[in-house]
Amino acid sequence: MTTWKLYIRGDHWRRLDDHLYGSPGEHGAVLLCGTAPGGDHQRLLVHEVHVAEDGTDYTYVDGVYRLGGAFVTRQALRARAEQLVYIAVHPHGGYDSVEFSGIDLRSQHNSTKPLLAASGNDRVGWLVTAPAAANGIVRTKDGEEPITGVVVLDEQRRALRTPRPVRSTSGSIEARFDRQALIYGDDGQRLAAGATVAIIGLGGGGAMLNDMLSSLGVGHLVHVDPETIDITNLPRLIGATRWDALEPFANWLPEKARDRLARSKVSVAKRVARRNNPNIRITTVRREANSRPAIEALISCDYIFLAADTARARLLVNAISAQFLIPMTQIGAKVRVDDDGVVKDVYSVSRVAGRTAGCLWCNGLISTTRLAEEAVSARQRADQQYVQGVANPSVKSLNAIGAAWAVEDFRDWFTGLGSAGQLYTTAHPQAPRVTSSTPRHDADCPFCCGVLGRGVSSPLVGIA
Amino acid sequence: MNATVASSVDEAIRDLRDHFGDTSVTVLCGDVGGTWVRIDNVALGGVWTQPTTFVIVHLATTLPFADIYPVFVRSDLTRADGRALQTPVTPGHQAGPAGAQVAAVQVSRKTRGDASRQSAGQKVTKVIEWLRAQP
C-alpha cells in the first residue's frame, strides 16, 4: 500500500502553525504540494501555504467548521494550474495523538470526486494536526492512502506522526553504537539507522564524510562519483590502498591504462562503509551527479552532502534540495598559494542549505562563469585559456575539519538534538579562527522560492 | 521524471532569433554540455575595419543560470587605426563544435551578477555593443 509523509520547510510551518494555533477557535488552510518518490513512503512537498480567513474562507455553520466554497475552488484551480496536490488542513484537540472525526470523514467522502475534478490531479488529501502529532489521508478515485507523518525542516528537524511511536527500550540498538547512543538516545540512533544520506564526490572530503556517517550508524548511504583512484589521492582517501591505485604497476602500466583499470572511488567508499557498519545499505552510482541514475537516487534521500567541487554539481544539488525539500551541506577546503608558492590562506568550509529559506544561489556561491566553462570540452577550455588541470593543494587534516563539522551538525539536527542552525562555517586553522554567518535569502530566488517543493512536477536543471 | 532541459537552450535560441532575425541564426551542433549557435551579419562599425561579423556562442544546458561566455567573432577582425587587439579581445582561437570549428577572435566579457536575469539575446547584444563602443 502506498503511504505518504508530508515535508514542509520551517518558514511555511511557522506560518501554518501560527494560523492554526495562534488564536482561539478552529482554523483552516490549504497546502499545495509537489510529490516525490521516497524510500519506504511517497512524499508530499509543501510548495505553498494558503490560510483560510476566518469568517469568509473558513466559517462555522450548523455546528461545523468548514472551508468556504469560493476558497476551495480558488485553491483547487491553482492546484490544477501549477500541477500540485491539494491538501486541506485543520487542527484538532489533543497533543500527541490525533484522528479525523466522523464529520471529517463524511466531508472527505463527499468532496473527493469534485476536488479531483477541479484540481485536475489524481489525488487530493486532508491533514489533521495536534501540537505534537499529525494524521492524514490522500484519496484517489479508487481508494485511499495514509499520510503517516509530517516532517518539518527547520533549524531543528521535527517529525509529527500518529500513532505516537512506543519509546524504545535500551538494548535494542546494536552494541557497536552504544557509546554514541548515549549522546542522542536510542531514538536518535534509530533515526540515523532509518536515514538515507547521499555523498556526492568521494574524494578527500567525501571519503571523510563516508567514514564518519557510516560509523554514526546511518542506515543507507548513496555514493555518487564517476572517478577511479589515482596515486595522488592515496594520502587523503580513507581506506584506499596502493593496490586500488595500481601503484605497484606504475613503472610499466601507462597512466591512461591505470586510470581505466584502477578501483573506483565508490568501490573503496563502499568497502569502508561496510567495515564500519556491516548492516549498512549502499547504493552506488559510478556516474556524474547530473546523470539520470544519480538524480533518481538523490531525490529519494533524506539528506545530501556535496563534496564535489564543480559549479554544475552545486547547481544541481541546490535545485534538488529546494525542489525536493532535501536539506544539504556543501563542504570544501582550499589552500591558496601565490605565484611564488607561498601559502596565503588555508580554510575549510561547511555550508548548510534547505532547512530554511536561503540557498547557494541566493548567496552567490554558484559561479555563472564556471557553469559556462564547464559546459565545453577540455580542449575548448584550453583554447579559451581558462586555468584548468592545475590540481588544488589538498591535505587530509584540512578536509577532516569541514567534514567533521558537517557531520556533527547533521547528527544533531537529524536526531532532534538541535543544531546551531543553517550556517556557513569557515575554519582557518592557521589563524586560528572559526567564523559562522547566516546566509541571506532572495525573496524571488528561482530555487528556494521558485521551485520549492515542486517535486517531480517541474523540470530539473542541468541533467546530462 | 520531467527532464525538459533542452527547453532552456531552445528558449535561448528563440530569443536570439527575436533579437537578430530568424534567418541570421543557425544552430551548429549540440553536444553533452550545450549547443553551438552562429549569428551572421551582426553590425560592427565604430573602430573596427569590418562593417559586420559573425557571432558564435555556446549555449550551456544549465541556462539561464550559466553565463554565455565567451563570445566569438570573425577571425580577421582588425581596428581601422591599425592598433593591435588587446585583452579581452584576443585573436587565434577556435569556435564551434568539435570537427567543425572555425578560426575566431574571442571576446571575453563575463556577466557581472546574476546571469539568469538576462536573456541570450540581451547578453550577445551587450557584448557587441561593448565591442562597437571601444575607443
Side-chain angles (χ1 to χ4, degrees):
Chain A
M1 176 173 63
T2 301
T3 62
W4 295 85
K5 279 190 184 170
L6 185 134
Y7 289 76
I8 183 169
R9 204 175 64 188
D11 52 333
H12 280 167
W13 175 255
R14 282 190 290 280
R15 181 162 175 246
L16 179 67
D17 190 69
D18 197 53
H19 176 68
L20 297 182
Y21 296 101
S23 57
E26 185 177 304
H27 313 281
V30 166
L31 310 175
L32 296 184
C33 301
T35 61
D40 56 358
H41 57 270
Q42 299 293 298
R43 299 180 182 199
L44 290 161
L45 312 169
V46 176
H47 174 68
E48 292 176 358
V49 175
H50 296 274
V51 299
E53 292 293 332
D54 297 336
T56 49
D57 303 328
Y58 203 67
T59 54
Y60 187 68
V61 176
D62 297 332
V64 174
Y65 283 101
R66 63 180 86 238
L67 290 171
F71 178 80
V72 169
T73 303
R74 214 159 53 238
Q75 305 315 326
L77 291 177
R78 180 150 179 86
R80 174 189 278 273
E82 300 292 319
Q83 297 181 305
L84 299 169
V85 177
Y86 170 111
I87 306 284
V89 57
H90 71 279
H92 271 182
Y95 182 75
D96 59 3
S97 180
V98 67
E99 301 279 351
F100 288 114
S101 66
I103 294 173
D104 290 335
L105 294 172
R106 278 195 295 280
S107 171
Q108 289 168 22
H109 179 76
N110 295 335
S111 311
T112 298
K113 269 194 189 159
L115 274 172
L116 287 173
S119 68
N121 207 302
D122 59 359
R123 287 179 166 84
V124 291
W126 287 264
L127 191 71
V128 63
T129 66
N135 202 343
I137 198 94
V138 169
R139 291 184 186 273
T140 69
K141 67 176 175 61
D142 298 318
E144 54 190 54
E145 298 156 349
I147 300 174
T148 58
V150 170
V151 178
V152 180
L153 305 172
D154 203 350
E155 302 288 345
Q156 190 170 338
R157 185 182 189 269
R158 293 176 59 206
L160 311 176
R161 52 187 179 272
T162 294
R164 194 160 191 272
V166 174
R167 288 210 69 84
S168 66
T169 57
S170 50
S172 56
I173 300 299
E174 280 187 72
R176 67 173 58 225
F177 301 124
D178 195 50
R179 293 285 295 277
Q180 58 201 40
L182 294 174
I183 301 174
Y184 40 82
D186 289 358
D187 283 348
Q189 191 65 50
R190 195 167 284 107
L191 274 171
T196 297
V197 176
I199 306 171
I200 298 173
L202 274 306
M208 282 279 169
L209 291 170
N210 178 58
D211 186 50
M212 294 181 198
L213 290 167
S214 54
S215 298
L216 198 63
V218 168
H220 181 193
L221 286 175
V222 176
H223 293 150
V224 180
D225 194 307
E227 294 182 351
T228 52
I229 304 280
D230 179 79
I231 291 170
T232 61
N233 299 147
L234 291 175
R236 291 180 309 286
L237 288 198
I238 293 177
T241 69
R242 52 197 301 260
W243 294 97
D244 292 327
L246 299 177
E247 191 185 36
F249 310 107
N251 288 337
W252 60 267
L253 195 60
E255 191 180 335
K256 274 194 178 162
R258 275 205 325 271
D259 190 47
R260 207 173 58 247
L261 298 171
R263 194 172 294 280
S264 64
K265 288 181 179 176
V266 290
S267 174
V268 172
K270 185 175 184 175
R271 187 172 70 208
V272 169
R274 285 248 159 92
R275 180 195 68 200
N276 291 338
N277 180 6
N279 296 322
I280 197 169
R281 215 172 107 219
I282 305 285
T283 296
T284 295
V285 184
R286 195 183 156 182
R287 299 279 298 272
E288 298 279 357
N290 57 355
S291 64
R292 281 200 180 280
I295 290 171
E296 280 167 11
L298 291 172
I299 62 175
S300 305
C301 289
D302 297 305
Y303 208 93
I304 299 174
F305 285 91
L306 176 60
D309 192 29
T310 65
R312 282 177 78 177
R314 283 193 191 188
L315 185 77
L316 177 79
V317 177
N318 193 67
I320 289 177
S321 173
Q323 194 162 325
F324 292 87
L325 286 179
I326 302 172
M328 61 169 286
T329 300
Q330 181 248 327
I331 68 162
K334 202 104 181 168
V335 178
R336 282 199 207 282
V337 179
D338 68 15
D339 292 340
D340 298 323
V342 175
V343 173
K344 304 302 287 181
D345 193 12
V346 176
Y347 60 89
S348 191
V349 299
S350 168
R351 299 179 179 124
V352 176
R355 298 176 195 174
T356 64
C359 66
L360 299 185
W361 183 258
C362 288
N363 288 273
L365 292 169
I366 302 174
S367 165
T368 62
T369 306
R370 277 190 67 190
L371 285 173
E373 291 168 1
E374 289 170 8
V376 296
S377 66
R379 187 183 251 183
Q380 185 71 27
R381 278 200 292 279
D383 178 76
Q384 290 167 11
Q385 294 177 9
Y386 300 135
V387 174
Q388 62 160 353
V390 177
N392 286 324
S394 187
V395 64
K396 191 185 241 181
S397 48
L398 188 60
N399 291 333
I401 297 172
W405 199 279
V407 172
E408 279 287 287
D409 168 77
F410 161 77
R411 184 206 64 200
D412 286 345
W413 181 80
F414 199 83
T415 59
L417 273 181
S419 79
Q422 179 160 292
L423 297 175
Y424 292 173
T425 303
T426 307
H428 298 262
Q430 285 196 333
R433 73 176 186 275
V434 177
T435 58
S436 285
S437 59
T438 303
R440 60 182 298 274
H441 163 231
D442 272 337
D444 59 353
C445 174
F447 294 103
C448 62
C449 295
V451 295
L452 178 74
R454 285 194 168 273
V456 298
S457 69
S458 268
L460 197 56
V461 67
I463 305 171
Chain B
M1 182 77 195
N2 191 351
T4 56
V5 173
S7 64
S8 61
V9 172
D10 287 347
E11 202 174 303
I13 293 170
R14 267 198 299 278
D15 192 71
L16 288 173
R17 291 199 160 118
D18 285 344
H19 272 76
F20 296 100
D22 221 7
T23 52
S24 301
V25 177
T26 309
V27 176
L28 295 178
C29 187
D31 56 28
V32 170
T35 299
W36 289 96
V37 174
R38 176 178 173 128
I39 310 162
D40 286 299
N41 299 316
V42 178
L44 263 182
V47 300
W48 308 103
T49 310
Q50 294 80 13
T52 63
T53 181
F54 66 73
V55 171
I56 292 178
V57 291
H58 187 253
L59 304 176
T61 55
T62 44
L63 282 176
F65 305 104
D67 198 0
I68 295 173
Y69 168 87
V71 169
F72 296 95
V73 296
R74 59 191 299 163
S75 62
D76 59 349
L77 187 74
T78 51
R79 290 177 61 99
D81 59 10
R83 283 162 58 190
L85 299 181
Q86 287 191 318
T87 305
V89 182
T90 50
H93 294 277
Q94 295 287 313
Q101 291 187 308
V102 299
V105 162
Q106 177 174 305
V107 184
S108 305
R109 293 280 296 173
K110 296 178 190 178
T111 298
R112 281 195 182 135
D114 186 350
S116 70
R117 292 185 191 272
Q118 67 184 1
S119 71
Q122 286 170 336
K123 165 70 189 211
V124 173
T125 300
K126 250 192 239 175
V127 173
I128 295 300
E129 282 176 354
W130 175 87
L131 205 53
R132 282 193 205 122
Q134 289 308 288

